[in-house]
Amino acid sequence: MSDSATLPPVSLTERARTLVEADWFTTLVTSVIIINAILLGIDTYDFVSPGAHRLIDFADVLITAFFVFELGCKIFAYRWKFFSTGWNVFDMVVVLVALLPNLGQFSVLRALRVLRVLRLVSVVPTMRRVIEALFRAIPGMGAILAVLVLIVYVGAVMATNLYGDAVPQKFGTLERAAFTLFQLMTLDGWRGEIVQPVMDAGHPYSWIFFLSFMLVGAFAILNLFMALIVDSMNDDVERGISEIEGKQDALRKAQTEADESRAELTRIVIAISEELADIRTALEAKPKPPARRPKKTPDQG
Amino acid sequence: MSDSATLPPVSLTERARTLVEADWFTTLVTSVIIINAILLGIDTYDFVSPGAHRLIDFADVLITAFFVFELGCKIFAYRWKFFSTGWNVFDMVVVLVALLPNLGQFSVLRALRVLRVLRLVSVVPTMRRVIEALFRAIPGMGAILAVLVLIVYVGAVMATNLYGDAVPQKFGTLERAAFTLFQLMTLDGWRGEIVQPVMDAGHPYSWIFFLSFMLVGAFAILNLFMALIVDSMNDDVERGISEIEGKQDALRKAQTEADESRAELTRIVIAISEELADIRTALEAKPKPPARRPKKTPDQG
Amino acid sequence: MSDSATLPPVSLTERARTLVEADWFTTLVTSVIIINAILLGIDTYDFVSPGAHRLIDFADVLITAFFVFELGCKIFAYRWKFFSTGWNVFDMVVVLVALLPNLGQFSVLRALRVLRVLRLVSVVPTMRRVIEALFRAIPGMGAILAVLVLIVYVGAVMATNLYGDAVPQKFGTLERAAFTLFQLMTLDGWRGEIVQPVMDAGHPYSWIFFLSFMLVGAFAILNLFMALIVDSMNDDVERGISEIEGKQDALRKAQTEADESRAELTRIVIAISEELADIRTALEAKPKPPARRPKKTPDQG
Amino acid sequence: MSDSATLPPVSLTERARTLVEADWFTTLVTSVIIINAILLGIDTYDFVSPGAHRLIDFADVLITAFFVFELGCKIFAYRWKFFSTGWNVFDMVVVLVALLPNLGQFSVLRALRVLRVLRLVSVVPTMRRVIEALFRAIPGMGAILAVLVLIVYVGAVMATNLYGDAVPQKFGTLERAAFTLFQLMTLDGWRGEIVQPVMDAGHPYSWIFFLSFMLVGAFAILNLFMALIVDSMNDDVERGISEIEGKQDALRKAQTEADESRAELTRIVIAISEELADIRTALEAKPKPPARRPKKTPDQG
């Protein structure tokens, strides 16, 4: 950084990078996002005068232009690497939505503009970490979610066949049945809005189907939840255990080295013992075995 | 495998096993299940022409035939061992349902055909593990579930006796009362649909019964949930603890061996000490005790 | 047992104890409870003939008599110790309920008879353990439950003062308000049945009160739940940790002993070293210091 | 304490502190709070005679005066330090509420008087600890709560734009939309009261918006809950692990010291060995290397 400041001929790419990585630029982007959020909130009120609505629309065009400039600088600075992080792709998509031509369904596009405010998550590091943690939890749920989707699909096909004619508003098509079964799993108005109408429409034993579905669904969701909690815990427990085990291994290694140095010591002491026997022999001038020396070789430690 | 390929006369049983264990066969079965699921989904729509419905019915017959062939091969290949795994029994039951004669309640049997799609769980290993994990959780819940069933039964008998005449639609029979109490435990519309009607029907103090029931039920379910989470955690904590303790025991054992080898060393050193005393005696030709040698025997380590 | 069988003059107390502790007697009591449960279930149905109802009533009298006999034996066998376990007191209370004179509110007493079926929990050990675990969890919840009750009380007084006149059916009296706030905490129909009627009855800002109450209540219940889970886990983690620490202390103790025995060994070796110096002196007949012996005294280990 | 009792001239500040720290004073305050709670409860009933209501009002004035005196003493005793604990500030605010002049909205102020009863939490230590634990949990939830608020805000702006005209009662203004989306997240009557009316009002695909919102919201709340549980657990696991590691470090240190003392021992033994070689030389009067002594220097342990 300081080097590039002293050297006058700086490339445009370098300048763009310096700009988008500057703290004041991030603060500016964050401020613009918050202003955008407030303006879009004010824009929903009817008591705001038409002139103010036009002003907000104009500010929105300016803000969109600023975001396009900001993302342009980032793409210019990082080239293809820009697209390697999901957050950048997310930023670009929510900004580009506002550039789509205003076709028939104007209100939907207007409404989607506010998604831009979610960029706040991508510029505030603590919120970013929350969302990244949410996404990390997804792989652990994959298989259980697949089973849940399969259960809802099978249940929806069955419910459409069984109750589609009796209660067409709830089970008339596959989508409606799936939606109704999702409602059943949230336990919202399950008896009054779903089970009782079907039972009253000529299917008195339909509660067996619905109860089975609810129990299976609740059990699957319970396990989904448990798997997530237990997974999170395991990471910590396992980290702790591996730390302790690492220290234990160090203790074990030190012990082995101590054993070796003791074996070495024992070898020297035996050598001394034998040397002494020789000395005695030399002294007494007659061979005599070292009587008190143990028979067992002691270098097994 | 390679041996059986070189030897021409292979038994039929062997050939059937080779077939059902082949990867391409499993992929084929999985594909047929998915096609079956899609066809049964399309079949629920009314906008599908009658000709298409007939085509789907014909495809369903072919698919059923294929499944019968597949399970036949498996039974032929494994004989009685086929029935030893629950998944095979499940596969057979859901396939055989389609072979039942189409009696009066045609629609129920048609609807049960889709259960075959659940075979996807038995052929996809990751989904299989999810279901096996669910089933492993059941024994830990046994006693609490038994208590819950008992509580609902006792509550249903009481509610039928107390409120059966006042609100026959909800508490008229034992089944209805049990169903209503189950609704109470899911907390769905408990006041508007259950407690208020009973209170308004001449039982102003019935809220005592219902509140007690809800608290007892919620408490039991809470404990069911907790027991499952804590059980799952314990397994991991206990495994970690037993690993650490295993390593500690190894350290302890190594320490004991080190103690023995040190005791051995001490014995040799004492022998040297005594030998030296003898040498001195021999040198000076007069007995003299080794003054600085400690009195305590040092082989206690 | 075998001794008392050979000795003829057994006291009545002893005989009563032998009876109530016999396995066949427990099985008999369990069977009678289950038969009682089934009979009381059948008794709720209207299609049962009046004669059958009379038969069931007669059987109920017999069963009550049997239970009175059983508990009488137990009290005779254990005297005052009978009342020391809560289960016995529970058994006695649910049996005595049936002996109360049939006054005006006959149906309530008839309904309470079925509580006797809950004795199944007290005779089946696994179910007993479940209930005992539930009761053990209560002390850990004490303080949070007290806070919850205080919050509901304060909220109920406020709601009665604020909304009692506008919506008397929900907030007219302190009890009704408390009941409605309990409903709010279960999230059942909170908007449609509680908040919207109050907002429409001239209190447009009442949602602030209700929302605050819901958030505070949900937060307290969440913490109640968490405290229970974390408490259960801690017990296991703490037990594991104290086991590991116990083994670590044993290792430490063994290490200290090893240090002592090594210090002992060092003392002997130094004695040998000095002895050798003496021998050399004796040999060479002139004093010479042991040049290679280290200066530092090595008995610090 | 005992010193100040023997010395007659005690300052007023000292006396005030002695008073407010006395056990009997705390008991008195607790009793007055409970009496206040009971009186305010009785006051809600209409069957209480107007005279009794006037009596309760008078008692309330006395109680308020007592609380003002109590807090005055505390402020006098601790001066500015009084305001350093949140509990004191809370106590003062709930007492001062009763001193506000009775303006138009009399009923709201009357209702707020009961908040004084929450002072029970600040005087009972076990309840105090519960609330302090709740507050300690808040920082861990900060970022997830911020994300949740952002999601609700963005969702509310979108819903107001999309469905504000179709269902003005639920989505007419930003506040109403936010309130309705909060209801959606509590899953209370989500289909019957929210999604179905919007779908029926000309937005057949609005279920996509609502379902996405519910899934995102449920997922965020699930993670909030998990983060709290896992955080609580981690504290205990980490404390346990650091205790074990502390003991392991002590073991390691003792081992290092043992290694040093063994190295010292080895040095002495080598010195002995060399001394012996010298002695032999002196004895035999010809140089001879100590054949059995190992080549490797053994002071590496």
Side-chain angles (χ1 to χ4, degrees), chain D residues 37-237:
Chain D
I38 294 167
L39 288 179
L40 288 170
I42 293 170
D43 198 37
T44 61
Y45 286 96
D46 290 331
F47 58 75
V48 177
S49 68
H53 275 301
R54 273 196 296 277
L55 209 71
I56 289 171
D57 276 6
F58 181 66
D60 202 69
V61 170
L62 287 183
I63 288 167
T64 308
F66 173 76
F67 286 152
V68 169
F69 166 74
E70 178 223 341
L71 293 175
C73 285
K74 278 193 180 163
I75 293 171
F76 186 75
Y78 301 113
R79 308 290 149 119
W80 292 108
K81 270 197 258 175
F82 174 83
F83 299 98
S84 63
T85 44
W87 288 112
N88 285 337
V89 177
F90 171 77
D91 283 358
M92 210 181 62
V93 169
V94 296
V95 167
L96 286 184
V97 157
L99 299 180
L100 289 175
N102 286 343
L103 300 168
Q105 282 186 298
F106 178 65
S107 67
V108 172
L109 281 183
R110 268 190 93 80
L112 289 178
R113 284 184 318 177
V114 77
L115 286 177
R116 243 188 278 156
V117 174
L118 291 176
R119 288 197 59 199
L120 198 62
V121 175
S122 79
V123 294
V124 178
T126 50
M127 290 169 103
R128 204 162 158 157
R129 273 196 290 277
V130 168
I131 300 294
E132 282 165 356
L134 295 188
F135 274 85
R136 263 200 304 281
I138 288 177
M141 313 194 304
I144 304 184
L145 277 181
V147 170
L148 260 176
V149 167
L150 188 69
I151 289 170
V152 171
Y153 181 78
V154 168
V157 172
M158 283 181 79
T160 314
N161 283 329
L162 290 171
Y163 314 124
D165 296 328
V167 190
Q169 210 207 342
K170 302 270 178 192
F171 296 101
T173 64
L174 198 60
E175 310 93 84
R176 274 190 219 162
F179 194 55
T180 304
L181 290 182
F182 175 76
Q183 185 188 352
L184 205 73
M185 286 204 293
T186 65
L187 297 181
D188 166 53
W190 65 267
R191 191 180 186 182
E193 295 179 21
I194 305 173
V195 180
Q196 205 67 52
V198 175
M199 283 172 78
D200 294 345
H203 294 281
Y205 295 108
S206 60
W207 62 267
I208 299 169
F209 172 76
F210 291 118
L211 220 70
S212 313
F213 188 84
M214 281 165 80
L215 290 178
V216 167
F219 196 47
I221 290 171
L222 181 72
N223 271 273
L224 182 69
F225 187 56
M226 267 174 52
L228 284 175
I229 292 182
V230 173
D231 264 30
S232 310
M233 293 300 313
N234 285 7
D235 288 358
D236 289 295
V237 172

Side-chain angles (χ1 to χ4, degrees), chain D residues 20-41:
Chain D
V20 299
E21 280 173 358
D23 281 350
W24 66 265
F25 192 72
T26 309
T27 312
L28 178 66
V29 171
T30 311
S31 312
V32 171
I33 293 169
I34 292 169
I35 290 165
N36 198 2
I38 294 167
L39 288 179
L40 288 170

